[in-house]
Amino acid sequence: MSEPDWLVEGRPHLWRPYCQMKTANPALPVVATRAARLVLDDGRELVDGIASWWTACWGYNHPHIAAAVEAQLRTMPHVMFGGLSHEPANRLATRLAKLLPGDLDHVFLAESGSVSVEIAMKMALQFHINRGVKGRTRFLAFRGGYHGDTLATMTVCDPDEGMHSLFAGAMPQQLIGDLPRDADSTAALEALVAAHAHELAAIIVEPLVQGAGGMLFHPPEVLRTLRRIADDHGLLLILDEIFTGFGRTGTMFAMEQAGIVPDVATLSKALTGGTMPLSAAVARRPVFEAFWSDDAGAALMHGPTYMAHALACAAANASLDLFEGGGWRDQVARVSAGLEAGLGPCREMKGVRDVRVLGAIGVVELERVDDLEALRRAFLAHHVWVRPLGRVVYLTPSFTISDADLAQLTGAVRAVVAGL
């Protein structure tokens, strides 16, 4: 079957993500989505195992979200947020403040997840400046961490094993440590922070799961330790819930499993149910109060052009309607059980290092992968869309995926891994 004209004509002009354009395989032409499936131009359907980079938690084309966006489009698609406001953003901020634990009450709405992390970092830097504390300009981040692709977020990603290793040595230097998983690593981290506390503004971490760094899990106790260390040294704690937020780990937010409240939380991905770009950096009351002043220079000087985008806020409010229904908990539990049952047999297969499941996240970590593109093509042969992170094969399907589609995904993983 010939390729569609739009694909042929656009190919020389589109710069695609995370690939060497000279050698990359052609992108697959998607013409429609429905439920948990991608429909290709040639009529094939692929079960989406990663929910469009973890965003489409309700599957595709959910009628409630679509109706909310259509209604908002007829009324007001967008208006600048400088000096103006609108109902979708106000309602969303109010609802997020009620959903998040503790006094995470102050919501700054932006576009992408990377931007929300940039804003959180900017908040942390200026928090200390506004309080008259000088020299706190660095961030403590962790090996295996990933927080975005913009310049500042790259500085708090894993500098050696992450996708930004090319820039190691060329970025402003932050402090990289190991997560405090046991007594020895906790003591090492405490010593590291004690030596550098005078120059640290904040600690930043992905709670429970380091996503793009390899779907690396850690227990809730790690987060409680980081909260204590931050408090001991007057540092802010930033939790990057962009991947883990909105039910993915089995609770609405991963932080709930640790029983802690960060100083700033970043949200995105599933915030709009996978329909539109939107993110939020949500601060606790003491952080916000450091900017509350008669001095105009103490304000947070940040304002993305499309911040608080009305269409995206309408989509997010509709998605929160679905969460408020409560059925997502049973859906995530069903998906989790299906992932465990379907991927569990891989533990006995040659070349498998680990199999792990948390909420609606299933991971098969391989010992090695010699040809990543061949591995990806093998999944296409089973009519599933799975994009391994190096030697980490993972599934993060929509919460509403059917049992049959989930079984097709896990069956494909078993077959492909066995074929290795």
Side-chain angles (χ1 to χ4, degrees), residues 134-265:
K134 297 181 179 180
R136 293 207 167 197
T137 59
R138 299 180 69 185
F139 292 82
L140 172 64
F142 298 96
R143 290 182 181 85
Y146 170 82
H147 300 281
D149 295 341
T150 52
L151 199 62
T153 61
M154 286 169 56
T155 68
V156 287
C157 295
D158 188 309
D160 300 315
E161 301 299 326
M163 64 184 73
H164 302 312
S165 58
L166 174 67
F167 295 90
M171 299 295 297
Q173 293 300 301
Q174 307 301 351
L175 201 59
I176 302 293
D178 291 308
L179 287 171
R181 296 175 179 273
D182 53 32
D184 289 341
S185 57
T186 297
L189 186 66
E190 288 177 331
L192 182 67
V193 173
H196 294 275
H198 64 285
E199 57 183 347
L200 288 173
I203 299 171
I204 182 168
V205 68
E206 299 156 272
L208 299 189
V209 186
Q210 293 175 300
M215 296 294 165
L216 305 171
F217 296 179
H218 56 263
E221 179 57 34
V222 167
L223 302 179
R224 290 191 282 271
T225 299
L226 294 179
R227 178 71 275 179
R228 176 180 58 77
I229 291 174
D231 290 341
D232 287 346
H233 295 279
L235 311 180
L236 298 188
L237 177 63
I238 301 170
L239 291 192
D240 181 345
E241 289 255 12
I242 289 168
F243 168 43
T244 56
F246 301 103
R248 181 57 64 178
T249 65
T251 48
M252 180 62 80
F253 302 105
M255 67 182 82
E256 296 174 30
Q257 298 184 41
I260 66 164
V261 180
D263 298 291
V264 185

Side-chain angles (χ1 to χ4, degrees), residues 80-133:
M80 65 178 285
F81 216 58
L84 303 175
S85 195
H86 53 74
E87 181 178 354
N90 281 265
R91 291 200 180 280
L92 178 59
T94 301
R95 296 173 79 176
L96 289 175
K98 289 180 179 178
L99 274 177
L100 285 159
D103 58 347
L104 285 164
D105 289 340
H106 301 280
V107 181
F108 194 102
L109 295 167
E111 303 106 325
S112 74
S114 295
V115 173
S116 72
V117 176
E118 293 259 353
I119 293 165
M121 294 172 71
K122 194 171 180 179
M123 285 177 177
L125 291 172
Q126 194 173 343
F127 170 82
H128 294 290
I129 293 170
N130 284 359
R131 295 170 69 241
V133 179

Side-chain angles (χ1 to χ4, degrees), residues 58-72 74 95 271-273 275 311-325:
W58 306 115
Y60 295 107
N61 308 68
H62 195 285
H64 182 65
I65 299 177
V69 172
E70 289 170 3
Q72 186 63 42
R74 289 191 296 269
R95 296 173 79 176
L271 175 57
T272 66
T275 57
L311 283 177
C313 290
N317 278 311
S319 184
L320 291 186
D321 291 342
L322 300 176
F323 276 110
E324 287 178 358

